[in-house]
Amino acid sequence: MNTTADSTPIGGVFATIGLLTAVFAVTRAIQFVSVYLLPSRIARYAHTTNGQPPWALVTGASDGIGRGFAAELAKQGFNLVLHGRNRAKLSSVMAQLQERHPDRSFRILIADASRVACLNCIRPPPGHAHSHEHDDPSAPAGPTDFDALRTALDGLNLTVLVNNAGGGAVNPTFLSLGESSEARITGNVSLNALFPLHLTRALLPTLRRNSPSLVLNVSSLADNGLPLLVSYCASKRFLLTMTEAVVREMKLLGRGGDVELLGIRVGKTTNTAYFTEKPSFFTPDSQTMARAALEKAGYGHGVVVGYWAHALQHILIKSMPLWVKDRAFIAAVQMEAANDRKTT
């Protein structure tokens, strides 16, 4: 009599589980690869509405990835609204884009993303002055008025919103939670989480009306949790949770129409305020990163890593045992913090 495990009911169950596991693994591998091989569909959002050309709003457009998004979207046929808090820097970016794309239209939108209203409820500690090296002296000093921002965009066929403005606190960049002031933490959360949340809320009716349209939320691989960067990491994770929640909410309320929300995790890039070294295998320049992110639009991916080499890093991070991940993150932050102290 054949009494091997394979001939028993339990053996059959394990064989089925093994087969399903293999099928699942292959399916996930195919899905992963396809994300980075599929052709760009960003053109589906570059449509006219009632004869009006398409517009895209890029927050944090004065440098880094935001500037890369603006350049790529202009190449793809969009007029651009360039947001930032420094009019001079934005004017310089606009002039360069206008020279390269004389058939496009450009506007500037000034707003300090770190001044969402709740920040004004917190009194700065003694001796602390709330200031930003990129502030525009002519910009309003009060909290951000999202109704005014929406009104400033009235009449435009806005079909793309890129929530890119963000970053960590500075001077110093690396600081423990216990040493961080209320103003430092709240300003950083305002910049990375509250500003894109409120801006999306304010502009969703416009984007639904002009659909098909896109909201692209730029997050970071740092949302895996890095020490001494607590408010930055947590607020970047907030942005991706917001992306998924808004999609489901619009479906629940039957208001989705054809508005895609896409969350993009971004790793280290060059040509930013933080990193200026030459591009490498795992460190693309900011415009390459922006192009890669836009190529993910149009497929309903939800939340993805924008650049394929960063995706490999993300897989490695997720596969690490917790103790290995803890040691790796601590060592990486110690090295970056040491470099930061040398340059400040």
Side-chain angles (χ1 to χ4, degrees):
M1 179 185 298
N2 185 353
T3 58
T4 62
D6 289 340
S7 65
T8 65
I10 294 178
V13 170
F14 282 121
T16 301
I17 292 174
L19 177 61
L20 292 175
T21 301
V23 170
F24 178 76
V26 171
T27 301
R28 288 294 301 271
I30 293 173
Q31 289 175 337
F32 171 81
V33 173
S34 67
V35 167
Y36 302 96
L37 294 180
L38 292 169
S40 174
R41 283 185 176 177
I42 190 64
R44 78 185 298 265
Y45 303 117
H47 61 85
T48 59
T49 300
N50 298 324
Q52 298 297 315
W55 284 78
L57 166 60
V58 179
T59 67
S62 58
D63 52 31
I65 299 175
R67 187 170 184 168
F69 275 118
E72 287 299 314
L73 286 164
K75 286 170 59 177
Q76 295 292 336
F78 292 88
N79 297 326
L80 267 299
V81 179
L82 307 172
H83 159 268
R85 59 191 181 202
N86 186 301
R87 189 177 299 276
K89 290 185 71 173
L90 288 173
S91 296
S92 176
V93 173
M94 184 172 71
Q96 292 176 24
L97 289 173
Q98 190 73 75
E99 183 178 357
R100 295 174 193 163
H101 306 281
D103 55 339
R104 304 279 182 266
S105 297
F106 299 90
R107 292 189 183 185
I108 287 174
L109 187 65
I110 302 295
D112 188 341
S114 69
R115 288 182 181 267
V116 173
C118 71
L119 179 61
N120 288 11
C121 303
I122 297 176
R123 180 177 298 175
H128 174 85
H130 177 84
S131 63
H132 298 287
E133 60 176 324
H134 301 301
D135 276 350
D136 180 358
S138 66
T144 302
D145 185 342
F146 291 95
D147 289 335
L149 294 184
R150 181 179 59 234
T151 300
L153 302 173
D154 281 351
L156 300 183
N157 177 29
L158 185 72
T159 61
V160 172
L161 165 62
V162 179
N163 281 316
N164 166 77
V170 295
N171 300 323
T173 300
F174 299 92
L175 194 66
S176 72
L177 181 62
E179 295 174 295
S180 300
S181 69
E182 289 180 77
R184 175 186 170 98
I185 293 171
T186 308
N188 197 224
V189 172
S190 169
L191 172 64
N192 293 312
L194 295 180
F195 183 79
L197 178 66
H198 282 299
L199 189 62
T200 301
R201 168 189 59 81
L203 295 180
L204 265 179
T206 299
L207 292 166
R208 285 199 297 265
R209 186 169 60 249
N210 296 337
S211 64
S213 54
L214 169 70
V215 178
L216 195 154
N217 294 323
V218 181
S219 184
S220 169
L221 289 182
D223 72 355
N224 284 286
L226 296 176
L228 307 185
L229 295 170
V230 173
S231 64
Y232 174 71
C233 298
S235 53
K236 283 301 188 180
R237 177 67 66 90
F238 175 103
L239 195 59
L240 295 183
T241 301
M242 181 196 89
T243 301
E244 297 174 328
V246 172
V247 169
R248 293 173 187 137
E249 180 176 283
M250 290 194 301
K251 290 179 179 178
L252 171 68
L253 299 176
R255 298 176 181 172
D258 195 1
V259 181
E260 178 185 8
L261 273 86
L262 176 63
I264 296 289
R265 280 189 172 99
V266 172
K268 189 176 180 180
T269 64
T270 66
N271 311 125
T272 69
Y274 302 101
F275 305 113
T276 57
E277 63 264 34
K278 294 181 180 179
S280 63
F281 183 81
F282 285 112
T283 310
D285 63 74
S286 56
Q287 187 158 345
T288 298
M289 182 66 249
R291 184 184 311 117
L294 291 171
E295 287 174 350
K296 308 302 175 289
Y299 291 95
H301 289 314
V303 173
V304 295
V305 181
Y307 186 64
W308 67 272
H310 291 162
L312 296 178
Q313 290 178 313
H314 188 59
I315 291 174
L316 177 61
I317 291 170
K318 290 300 184 183
S319 64
M320 287 179 178
L322 182 58
W323 68 270
V324 174
K325 186 186 302 185
D326 288 347
R327 291 187 180 184
F329 284 5
I330 290 170
V333 167
Q334 285 176 327
M335 182 174 64
E336 292 290 350
N339 292 335
D340 186 59
R341 286 192 294 270
K342 291 177 182 178
T343 58
T344 55

